[in-house]
Amino acid sequence: MGLRICKDFEFSASHVIAGLPESHKCARLHGHSYRVRVAVSGAVDEVGFIIDYGELAWIRELIDTRLDHRHLNDVLAVNPTAENIAVWLAEQVCSWLQSRPERQRIRGVEIGVSETPTTWAIYSAELPSV
């Protein structure tokens, strides 16, 4: 697997999970204090970084402007499960990485989304070799 760095973020939002029976608690409007963990794996540069943690600051802005204190059904084009949020965030990060100078060293991205202290949905994406 190799070396990876991780950075955590948080946001609060509401959602309704479509497709569940009416009796399911998640079929009703509810909210969470989400935790997001972004992991980037790859080789280190001459300094010893895969990517500088500071370069990931844009993810905070993305989360703040697109997800935080929003109704996720209104802002995502998918059913806002933790799994789908993880995939959506991974797509955003992978797209951003394509134009980064560190791209040649980066092998993959892993996004974890937690709705409760004991649950995580984790999505891993390998980046194609350059």
Side-chain angles (χ1 to χ4, degrees):
M1 188 96 160
L3 190 60
R4 68 181 178 167
I5 63 159
C6 300
K7 187 167 177 89
D8 289 354
F9 303 91
E10 296 179 353
F11 71 98
S12 296
S14 66
H15 67 166
V16 173
I17 304 299
L20 295 172
E22 272 186 43
S23 60
H24 194 289
K25 65 182 181 178
C26 294
R28 297 186 298 272
L29 176 65
H30 65 285
H32 298 285
S33 293
Y34 290 90
R35 290 186 61 213
V36 172
R37 176 163 292 154
V38 176
V40 178
S41 62
V44 297
D45 63 11
E46 62 281 351
V47 175
F49 288 166
I50 294 172
I51 190 170
D52 188 326
Y53 288 109
E55 296 298 319
L56 301 178
W58 72 273
I59 298 169
R60 160 61 39 222
E61 184 177 336
L62 172 72
I63 288 171
D64 284 351
T65 58
R66 299 283 301 272
L67 304 176
D68 190 42
H69 285 82
R70 305 279 183 175
H71 182 59
L72 298 179
N73 298 77
D74 294 341
V75 296
L76 297 175
V78 295
N79 204 13
T81 62
E83 295 87 341
N84 284 337
I85 297 167
V87 171
W88 181 83
L89 284 167
E91 289 169 350
Q92 305 304 306
V93 173
C94 288
S95 176
W96 174 78
L97 283 170
Q98 294 305 319
S99 63
R100 297 290 308 164
E102 302 90 346
R103 171 61 191 95
Q104 61 192 353
R105 294 191 316 276
I106 294 173
R107 303 289 176 255
V109 171
E110 185 176 275
I111 305 293
V113 175
S114 171
E115 294 179 336
T116 71
T118 61
T119 61
W120 284 89
I122 299 171
Y123 179 74
S124 299
E126 287 186 32
L127 275 69
S129 299
V130 285

